[in-house]
Short mmCIF file of all heavy atoms in Angstrom, two decimals:
data_model
loop_
_atom_site.label_atom_id
_atom_site.label_comp_id
_atom_site.label_asym_id
_atom_site.label_seq_id
_atom_site.Cartn_x
_atom_site.Cartn_y
_atom_site.Cartn_z
N PRO M 280 -128.62 114.27 25.59
CA PRO M 280 -129.21 114.63 24.29
C PRO M 280 -130.43 115.49 24.49
O PRO M 280 -130.98 115.53 25.58
CB PRO M 280 -129.57 113.32 23.71
CG PRO M 280 -129.97 112.40 24.91
CD PRO M 280 -128.98 112.84 26.06
N GLU M 281 -130.73 116.11 23.35
CA GLU M 281 -131.96 116.96 23.36
C GLU M 281 -133.02 116.21 22.59
O GLU M 281 -132.76 115.40 21.69
CB GLU M 281 -131.54 118.30 22.67
CG GLU M 281 -130.63 119.20 23.44
CD GLU M 281 -130.38 120.51 22.69
OE1 GLU M 281 -130.74 120.58 21.59
OE2 GLU M 281 -129.90 121.39 23.34
N ASN M 282 -134.22 116.51 22.92
CA ASN M 282 -135.39 115.86 22.29
C ASN M 282 -135.45 116.53 20.92
O ASN M 282 -135.06 117.74 20.64
CB ASN M 282 -136.70 116.19 23.00
CG ASN M 282 -136.70 115.49 24.42
OD1 ASN M 282 -136.01 114.47 24.44
ND2 ASN M 282 -137.38 116.04 25.34
N PRO M 283 -136.05 115.80 19.86
CA PRO M 283 -136.26 116.37 18.61
C PRO M 283 -137.23 117.48 18.65
O PRO M 283 -138.04 117.71 19.49
CB PRO M 283 -136.85 115.18 17.74
CG PRO M 283 -137.35 114.27 18.75
CD PRO M 283 -136.54 114.38 20.01
N SER M 284 -137.24 118.27 17.63
CA SER M 284 -138.07 119.49 17.48
C SER M 284 -139.54 119.07 17.46
O SER M 284 -139.83 118.02 16.78
CB SER M 284 -137.67 120.33 16.36
OG SER M 284 -137.83 119.57 15.17
N ASP M 285 -140.44 119.81 17.85
CA ASP M 285 -141.80 119.58 17.85
C ASP M 285 -142.45 120.15 16.59
O ASP M 285 -141.73 120.65 15.63
CB ASP M 285 -142.56 120.09 19.09
CG ASP M 285 -142.28 121.64 19.24
OD1 ASP M 285 -141.69 122.19 18.28
OD2 ASP M 285 -142.67 122.21 20.30
N GLU M 286 -143.71 120.18 16.47
CA GLU M 286 -144.38 120.71 15.30
C GLU M 286 -144.08 122.11 15.01
O GLU M 286 -144.00 122.61 13.82
CB GLU M 286 -145.84 120.40 15.36
CG GLU M 286 -146.18 118.87 15.38
CD GLU M 286 -147.74 118.75 15.50
OE1 GLU M 286 -148.39 119.78 15.55
OE2 GLU M 286 -148.21 117.55 15.55
N ARG M 287 -143.90 122.94 16.03
CA ARG M 287 -143.60 124.36 15.95
C ARG M 287 -142.11 124.59 15.56
O ARG M 287 -141.73 125.75 15.26
CB ARG M 287 -143.99 125.09 17.10
CG ARG M 287 -145.52 125.05 17.35
CD ARG M 287 -145.84 125.65 18.75
NE ARG M 287 -145.24 124.99 19.81
CZ ARG M 287 -145.34 125.34 21.09
NH1 ARG M 287 -145.96 126.43 21.47
NH2 ARG M 287 -144.73 124.60 22.03
N GLY M 288 -141.28 123.55 15.51
CA GLY M 288 -139.85 123.76 15.35
C GLY M 288 -139.00 124.22 16.33
O GLY M 288 -137.82 124.50 16.10
N THR M 289 -139.60 124.34 17.61
CA THR M 289 -138.76 124.70 18.68
C THR M 289 -138.15 123.60 19.40
O THR M 289 -138.71 122.45 19.45
CB THR M 289 -139.62 125.48 19.82
OG1 THR M 289 -140.64 124.64 20.20
CG2 THR M 289 -140.30 126.72 19.18
N MET M 290 -136.93 123.68 19.90
CA MET M 290 -136.25 122.64 20.60
C MET M 290 -136.64 122.52 22.07
O MET M 290 -136.43 123.59 22.80
CB MET M 290 -134.72 122.93 20.47
CG MET M 290 -134.20 122.84 19.09
SD MET M 290 -134.46 121.23 18.23
CE MET M 290 -133.37 120.25 19.16
N GLN M 291 -137.10 121.44 22.61
CA GLN M 291 -137.38 121.31 23.86
C GLN M 291 -136.41 120.40 24.60
O GLN M 291 -136.22 119.21 24.12
CB GLN M 291 -138.85 120.73 24.04
CG GLN M 291 -139.94 121.68 23.47
CD GLN M 291 -141.26 120.97 23.58
OE1 GLN M 291 -141.38 119.78 23.88
NE2 GLN M 291 -142.37 121.80 23.26
N THR M 292 -135.73 120.92 25.67
CA THR M 292 -134.79 120.10 26.30
C THR M 292 -135.51 119.28 27.38
O THR M 292 -136.76 119.41 27.62
CB THR M 292 -133.80 120.98 26.98
OG1 THR M 292 -134.53 121.86 27.87
CG2 THR M 292 -132.96 121.82 25.95
N VAL M 293 -134.83 118.28 28.06
CA VAL M 293 -135.31 117.47 29.06
C VAL M 293 -135.67 118.27 30.20
O VAL M 293 -135.26 119.38 30.31
CB VAL M 293 -134.41 116.27 29.26
CG1 VAL M 293 -134.07 115.46 28.09
CG2 VAL M 293 -133.07 116.88 29.80
N ALA M 294 -136.39 117.59 31.03
CA ALA M 294 -136.83 118.34 32.28
C ALA M 294 -135.58 118.76 33.17
O ALA M 294 -134.52 118.15 33.14
CB ALA M 294 -137.72 117.44 33.14
N ARG M 295 -135.78 119.77 33.90
CA ARG M 295 -134.66 120.40 34.63
C ARG M 295 -134.05 119.42 35.56
O ARG M 295 -132.92 119.14 35.67
CB ARG M 295 -135.12 121.74 35.28
CG ARG M 295 -133.93 122.41 36.05
CD ARG M 295 -134.48 123.65 36.68
NE ARG M 295 -133.39 124.39 37.33
CZ ARG M 295 -132.66 125.26 36.73
NH1 ARG M 295 -132.70 125.59 35.51
NH2 ARG M 295 -131.64 125.91 37.47
N SER M 296 -134.97 118.74 36.39
CA SER M 296 -134.47 117.78 37.40
C SER M 296 -133.82 116.58 36.72
O SER M 296 -132.78 116.13 37.29
CB SER M 296 -135.63 117.35 38.17
OG SER M 296 -136.68 116.73 37.43
#
Side-chain angles (χ1 to χ4, degrees):
E281 294 181 343
N282 293 332
S284 59
D285 56 8
E286 296 179 357
R287 294 173 297 177
T289 59
M290 298 297 295
Q291 296 179 350
T292 58
V293 296
R295 183 180 181 87
S296 60

